[in-house]
Amino acid sequence: MSWQTNYEKWKQFEDLDVELKDQLEKLKNDSKQLEESFYKTLEFGTGGIRGEIGPGTNRMNIYSIRKATEGLARYIEAHGEEAKNRGVAIAYDSRFKSPEFAMEAAKTLGKHGIHTYVFESLRSTPELSFAVRYLHAYSGIVITASHNPPEYNGYKVYGEDGAQVSLAVAEEIIEKVNEVENELEVEVGGEEELKAAGILNIIGETVDNAYLKQLQTINVNPDVIKQVADDFKIVYTPLHGTGNIPVRKGLKALGFKHVQVVDEQELPDSSFPTVTSPNPEEHAAFEIAIQYGEKLDADMLLGTDPDTDRVGAAVRNSEGEYEVLTGNQVGALLLHYLITEKQKQGTLADNAVVLKTIVTSELGRDIATANRLETIDTLTGFKFIGEKIKEYEASGEHRFLFGYEESYGYLIGDFVRDKDAVQACMLLAEVGAYYKSKNMTLYEGLLAVFEQYGYYKEGLQSLTLKGKDGIEKINTILMAFRNNPPQEIAGKQVSVIEDYQTSKRILVGDNVEEEILLPKSNVLKYQLSDGSWFCLRPSGTEPKIKFYFGVKGETLEASNNKLAELKDAVMEKVSK
């Protein structure tokens, strides 16, 4: 179907939402924007949909929400009355249209007689995951675009275990979504009628309190916090998102007395006015927090993204300046502390397992291996870590200890089944308190970990390529690497090629081919003769292709140099 056909269908629809109708009218002379808005239908991917807000089949609006939810409703209906009665928990963040989209989802489900539990106001993604489990709901929805720019919103679907839906379930839902021929004609129930019938339920404080109670189990050693609580200072920024209340309550419950919130970024604001991007992965997001830190001489700065599933941290480095730690570094600190403290207390299970993604640092594996624990790699995306937790819970083969990914996502307590920045803030503050009790900064603690296991350094470079042309460019880059793989990079031989699309691992020197026992994914990874590696992966939620890099050196300087050489060599090949 051509974009013009989609456009005409919308233009001629008499009952089109008034706001969208006005926006469409303003676009009538902008053929480029109209084509971008209508050239395809926003695809329901492996976890949901995400896109720019606006009119059109390729945009986030009430009709794309209704279509996605109609598909989910048909999937739930196919699983019988019990599934309908258990219903769907729904949360939303601080983005434009998030409350409206949440209610549209509830009204669409309600039309099918499916019970819904909608939070009274904005809540974090991890609390939605918790709510699904706590309420014994059949499914969950969270309206968020995570750390994307303000013009985006999204819709993620969760399974009954509180994790994002598995690939198999996603396929079933996608099939149902694709059966919906006209998103403009999806019927919804009336909000007040559904509430009166007890089908649409508003939730809040009861779930909040249950979640907070579970958060307190994250604490490993209360004594280290008591020792330094009078002097330990934290600056926290929710970056205009959902983290303000749960993070502050969580830290207070553990006994932290000095938590200063960045006033300019405390309140929810859909336009995220103080940052270019509300992403704690980007150092610029910490600019104001650093000013607070300097003024207060804070031990630690913490920042969470709008839906509070990711957290970044900054601490004073060897020069006394605040340095934003990478996700891999924070993950290593959390893991090292969990293992060593639990060993001291005799609470570390023999079959404890660490879960990480294929693009996450190998430092975590080294720490786990040195302590006789197994590390399992998953594909990128926390849903795969959630799947593994469920698998081991059923089999008893392993007991979950810690799961993380390089993009600032961590999970400690499995009462949540997605990355949880509230948990991570609490444990990281405890780790900071632990090192302070030893008269060390958190940065010095990181250096001690490097000294013990090696100076690991990782990097990420992204190319944002929007629109139809961008997708074609991303595919061209991947095709070039796949069809003509490099034999050497930065003067080092390529020793292993992993193609997750074909599920093949090639040991180059031995000319041996192995099977990769993970779901298929359009990802390429290359390991070099010195242990360095790089990986190419198109984002599943943004118009980006990401390049991941990892090296290990004898010193910080050596690893920094190796990383710079590897990045330059790979990106030079990309630009050819």
Side-chain angles (χ1 to χ4, degrees), residues 82-281:
E82 187 204 359
K84 289 172 64 176
N85 290 333
R86 284 172 61 187
V88 181
I90 302 175
Y92 57 90
D93 69 4
S94 58
R95 289 181 173 273
F96 289 116
K97 297 293 180 185
S98 282
E100 293 90 338
F101 289 170
M103 193 51 67
E104 287 299 328
K107 291 192 296 183
T108 307
L109 291 163
K111 185 69 177 176
H112 290 261
I114 297 168
H115 288 245
T116 57
Y117 304 89
V118 184
F119 275 103
E120 63 193 357
S121 57
L122 77 177
R123 291 299 190 281
S124 70
T125 288
E127 187 169 346
L128 180 277
S129 172
F130 174 80
V132 171
R133 297 173 61 78
Y134 178 75
L135 297 169
H136 194 52
Y138 192 74
S139 183
I141 296 168
V142 63
I143 307 294
T144 178
S146 190
H147 55 285
N148 285 88
E151 62 268 25
Y152 283 82
N153 212 330
Y155 172 108
K156 288 197 294 188
V157 181
Y158 287 73
E160 60 185 327
D161 63 335
Q164 292 178 49
V165 288
S166 67
L167 292 178
V169 171
E171 285 302 320
E172 288 186 54
I173 297 172
I174 289 166
E175 193 176 311
K176 299 291 187 187
V177 172
N178 291 340
E179 286 173 6
V180 181
E181 291 182 7
N182 189 346
E183 68 282 351
L184 300 174
E185 294 178 354
V186 173
E187 294 184 10
V188 299
E191 181 179 339
E192 296 309 318
E193 291 88 340
L194 292 170
K195 284 178 179 175
I199 291 173
L200 198 169
N201 304 278
I202 303 301
I203 59 172
E205 189 179 3
T206 302
V207 180
D208 294 342
N209 291 338
Y211 175 56
L212 183 62
K213 187 177 178 182
Q214 284 295 320
L215 284 171
Q216 291 171 54
T217 66
I218 295 304
N219 192 196
V220 183
N221 185 350
D223 290 339
V224 298
I225 298 171
K226 286 175 187 169
Q227 283 177 44
V228 302
D230 289 338
D231 302 315
F232 194 77
K233 297 173 187 171
I234 299 169
V235 169
Y236 168 63
T237 173
L239 295 176
H240 305 291
T242 59
N244 186 34
I245 293 171
V247 170
R248 290 168 73 179
K249 280 188 173 179
L251 291 171
K252 185 179 179 181
L254 291 192
F256 289 100
K257 298 177 181 178
H258 304 291
V259 180
Q260 173 65 54
V261 176
V262 175
D263 293 336
E264 297 90 332
Q265 299 171 331
E266 177 180 1
L267 298 178
D269 191 321
S270 307
S271 59
F272 309 112
T274 62
V275 288
T276 307
S277 174
N279 185 356
E281 290 182 72

Side-chain angles (χ1 to χ4, degrees), residues 251-478:
L251 291 171
K252 185 179 179 181
L254 291 192
F256 289 100
K257 298 177 181 178
H258 304 291
V259 180
Q260 173 65 54
V261 176
V262 175
D263 293 336
E264 297 90 332
Q265 299 171 331
E266 177 180 1
L267 298 178
D269 191 321
S270 307
S271 59
F272 309 112
T274 62
V275 288
T276 307
S277 174
N279 185 356
E281 290 182 72
E282 295 178 13
H283 294 200
F286 276 92
E287 280 180 9
I288 302 176
I290 288 172
Q291 292 170 20
Y292 273 67
E294 296 285 2
K295 186 178 175 183
L296 299 169
D297 191 26
D299 296 277
M300 176 185 294
L301 318 179
L302 297 170
T304 53
D305 68 345
D307 67 323
T308 322
D309 62 353
R310 299 170 195 248
V311 59
V315 293
R316 289 198 188 274
N317 61 20
S318 305
E319 285 74 49
E321 295 175 351
Y322 284 106
E323 181 173 323
V324 181
L325 302 180
T326 69
N328 286 309
Q329 291 168 346
V330 170
L333 282 163
L334 294 174
L335 176 59
H336 182 260
Y337 179 76
L338 276 172
I339 291 175
T340 53
E341 282 300 301
K342 284 178 177 285
Q343 279 178 336
K344 284 179 199 170
Q345 296 172 14
T347 57
L348 185 67
D350 291 338
N351 64 342
V353 68
V354 177
L355 302 174
K356 74 175 192 67
T357 71
I358 58 174
V359 295
T360 300
S361 173
E362 289 301 300
L363 176 54
R365 190 190 312 279
D366 268 10
I367 294 170
T369 302
N371 291 280
R372 298 182 298 283
L373 299 182
E374 191 168 353
T375 301
I376 303 293
D377 280 353
T378 71
L379 289 178
T380 306
F382 227 86
K383 67 187 298 164
F384 299 109
I385 290 176
E387 270 184 21
K388 279 292 177 188
I389 296 172
K390 185 180 180 181
E391 179 188 321
Y392 295 142
E393 192 174 49
S395 70
E397 181 186 354
H398 288 295
R399 191 163 167 186
F400 173 72
L401 174 69
F402 183 62
Y404 74 119
E405 57 186 7
E406 52 72 43
S407 55
Y408 291 62
Y410 319 94
L411 181 65
I412 303 105
D414 64 2
F415 53 88
V416 167
R417 295 298 168 91
D418 203 347
K419 49 189 178 283
D420 187 342
V422 186
Q423 290 189 26
C425 283
M426 292 169 70
L427 185 62
L428 191 55
E430 182 179 333
V431 177
Y434 167 79
Y435 283 112
K436 178 136 183 159
S437 73
K438 296 187 172 302
N439 295 314
M440 295 168 68
T441 65
L442 190 62
Y443 188 80
E444 287 168 335
L446 176 64
L447 293 180
V449 171
F450 281 154
E451 186 66 31
Q452 187 173 354
Y453 297 101
Y455 290 85
Y456 285 82
K457 188 80 177 181
E458 294 77 29
L460 170 66
Q461 195 132 341
S462 298
L463 289 180
T464 300
L465 299 161
K466 287 190 174 184
K468 198 168 156 185
D469 295 343
I471 292 169
E472 288 172 6
K473 175 67 175 167
I474 289 169
N475 289 334
T476 301
I477 292 168
L478 285 160

